Amino acid sequence: MNDNRTCTMLIVAGALATALSWIDSASAKIEQEKCYGVSLKGKNDCAAGPGSSCAGSATKNYQGDAWKYVPKGTCTSIVTPKGKGSLDPIAN
């Protein structure tokens, strides 16, 4: 093989790998759900109650009004020191 053909094949393979990784990440996000009360302080994905800006704004561990994405169907089986995860906000 000549150098131009090899280079072209590498570029095409790289583009294909990039496209497949985008598809994989998009489908992974679809297969997740918001789980309240399971995130650690500053590690939530979003929604941490009044006055919070969003991701990373939980002020305490297992805050009931802060959520984290978890694999779909696993939220209510997650056990924390404050109880199980919830699909709905938990009163603090």
Side-chain angles (χ1 to χ4, degrees):
M1 266 193 233
N2 65 33
D3 289 338
N4 285 338
R5 185 168 178 183
T6 302
C7 185
T8 301
M9 288 175 61
L10 288 173
I11 290 171
V12 169
L16 179 60
T18 301
L20 290 174
S21 71
W22 286 342
I23 291 169
D24 187 43
S25 359
S27 67
K29 193 163 194 161
I30 292 170
E31 298 299 321
Q32 295 184 353
E33 62 192 2
K34 294 177 184 178
C35 188
Y36 290 86
V38 298
S39 67
L40 298 176
K41 178 180 179 180
K43 301 291 183 181
N44 60 304
D45 287 330
C46 205
S52 66
S53 60
C54 204
S57 58
T59 57
K60 58 187 174 180
N61 289 340
Y62 315 112
Q63 188 171 325
D65 55 0
W67 56 263
K68 185 131 187 96
Y69 279 118
V70 299
K72 189 170 182 128
T74 64
C75 179
T76 57
S77 65
I78 297 173
V79 179
T80 74
K82 292 190 170 188
K84 291 187 174 187
S86 173
L87 297 173
D88 298 307
I90 303 167
N92 288 321

